[in-house]
């Protein structure tokens, strides 16, 4: 076990150094949610009462955080494809390092990046009018980090499987945008027609968004909050299983 964690740390620190040398992706990943806050958030303030809250940012910021977790983690596999092409992954495979450590080290780097982005997003939202309990914000940030771990693992697995940006890009876009539209990230799905709201119920990310919103509203013990957290944990389990299985299969 000690060797496993040493290998994980080695892979994590290498990936983290690469991110620190080129922080452009971290900045780009944060720029879009901040732009949503600046240009879309003020439009919701007059509608706060109709949305069932006195603070529109309690609804909007959690959705943007989940969006950050989805898009910030779902596309990390493109970096692995570049490493495959450069022979980095092949050189790692011939080492005695655990295949799980090769995945987990990269995933931990992605989680750290997401945590930094989520905290910065909350800090930017505070002077704009966000008011939320500290416990709810902490729970929301943790859920986003776990969601990032799940989707990052899946993204690496898909990258190892398709080995081509030309295949991966349309595949991920075909998944990401329906998930985005049916999760109520920008507006609660309760505003949607009945058939569309019913369709969104089968989308697990919708329940994650509802859970983070409940936490930001101060209802940490509410059903929505814990259902969202439990679904996130289930997604992490599935994502890590899929990623680990693919890494081991591709390395055999």
């Amino acid at each position: 076990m000690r060797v496993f964690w040493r290998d994980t740390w080695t892979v994590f620190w290498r990936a983290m150094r690469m991110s620190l040398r080129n922080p452009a992706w971290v900045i780009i990943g944060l720029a879009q949610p901040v732009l949503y806050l600046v240009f879309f958030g003020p439009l919701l303030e007059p509608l706060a009462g109709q949305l069932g809250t006195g603070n529109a940012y309690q609804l909007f910021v959690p959705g943007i955080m989940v969006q950050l977790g989805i898009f910030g983690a779902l596309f990390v596999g493109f970096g692995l494809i570049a490493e495959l092409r450069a022979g980095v992954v092949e050189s790692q495979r011939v080492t005695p390092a655990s295949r799980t450590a090769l995945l987990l080290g990269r995933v931990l780097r992605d989680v750290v990046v997401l945590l930094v982005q989520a905290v910065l997003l909350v800090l930017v939202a505070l002077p704009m009018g966000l008011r939320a309990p500290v416990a709810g914000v902490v729970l929301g940030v943790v859920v986003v980090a776990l969601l990032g771990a799940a989707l990052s693992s899946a993204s690496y697995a898909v990258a190892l499987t398709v080995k081509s940006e030309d295949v991966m890009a349309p595949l991920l876009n075909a998944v990401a945008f329906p998930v985005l539209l049916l999760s109520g990230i920008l507006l609660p799905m309760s505003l949607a027609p009945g058939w569309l709201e019913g369709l969104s119920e089968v989308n697990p990310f919708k329940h994650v968004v509802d859970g983070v919103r409940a936490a930001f509203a101060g209802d940490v013990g509410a059903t929505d909050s814990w259902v969202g957290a439990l679904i996130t944990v289930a997604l992490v389990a599935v994502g890590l299983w899929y990623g680990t299985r693919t890494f081991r299969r591709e390395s055999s």
Side-chain angles (χ1 to χ4, degrees):
M1 185 59 67
R2 186 176 62 182
V3 173
F4 168 77
W5 287 114
R6 184 196 64 194
D7 294 342
T8 301
W9 171 258
T10 301
V11 176
F12 162 77
W13 186 237
R14 175 190 173 275
M16 183 57 68
R17 288 202 311 269
M18 292 176 62
S19 295
L20 293 174
R21 289 172 186 166
N22 184 19
W25 288 113
V26 179
I27 297 172
I28 292 172
L30 182 63
Q32 185 181 18
V34 170
L35 289 175
Y36 272 111
L37 278 177
V38 173
F39 295 121
F40 192 77
L43 299 176
L44 296 179
E45 292 183 23
L47 304 176
Q50 299 178 37
L51 296 175
T53 179
N55 188 324
Y57 288 97
Q58 283 186 349
L59 288 175
F60 189 53
V61 174
I64 296 299
M65 284 179 59
V66 174
Q67 181 193 25
L68 181 66
I70 293 174
F71 284 90
L74 202 56
F75 291 89
V76 295
F78 286 98
L80 186 63
I81 293 177
E83 289 186 326
L84 278 168
R85 189 175 295 112
V88 174
V89 177
E90 192 62 33
S91 65
Q92 290 177 339
R93 285 172 175 170
V94 299
T95 68
S98 165
R99 297 323 182 226
T100 304
L102 296 181
L103 169 68
L104 190 58
R106 290 177 168 88
V107 170
L108 288 177
R109 184 276 310 271
D110 300 329
V111 168
V112 169
V113 171
L114 277 176
L115 283 172
V116 172
Q117 291 176 325
V119 170
L120 289 176
L121 183 64
V122 171
L123 293 177
V124 170
L126 287 175
M128 299 184 67
L130 172 66
R131 297 295 180 266
V134 175
V137 172
V138 170
L139 179 59
V141 171
V142 170
V143 167
V144 169
L146 291 174
L147 183 63
L151 296 180
S152 174
S153 302
S155 180
Y156 287 130
V158 172
L160 274 182
T161 302
V162 301
K163 300 181 178 66
S164 168
E165 294 94 342
D166 295 334
V167 176
M168 189 168 181
L171 177 62
L172 291 184
N173 283 324
V175 173
F177 283 103
V179 164
L180 173 67
L181 296 173
L182 289 175
S183 60
I185 282 176
L186 298 180
L187 291 171
M189 292 305 297
S190 58
L191 301 177
W195 66 270
L196 189 58
E197 184 180 4
L199 184 61
S200 72
E201 290 295 325
V202 302
N203 180 6
F205 297 97
K206 185 258 186 185
H207 300 286
V208 175
V209 173
D210 288 346
V212 178
R213 281 183 173 145
F216 268 62
D219 299 328
V220 177
T223 301
D224 283 345
S225 181
W226 289 107
V227 167
L230 290 174
I231 289 177
T232 304
V233 171
L235 290 173
V236 172
V238 173
L240 288 176
W241 169 81
Y242 177 44
T244 302
R245 177 175 176 270
T246 304
F247 260 73
R248 289 175 176 171
R249 186 184 68 238
E250 292 294 324
S251 300
S252 60

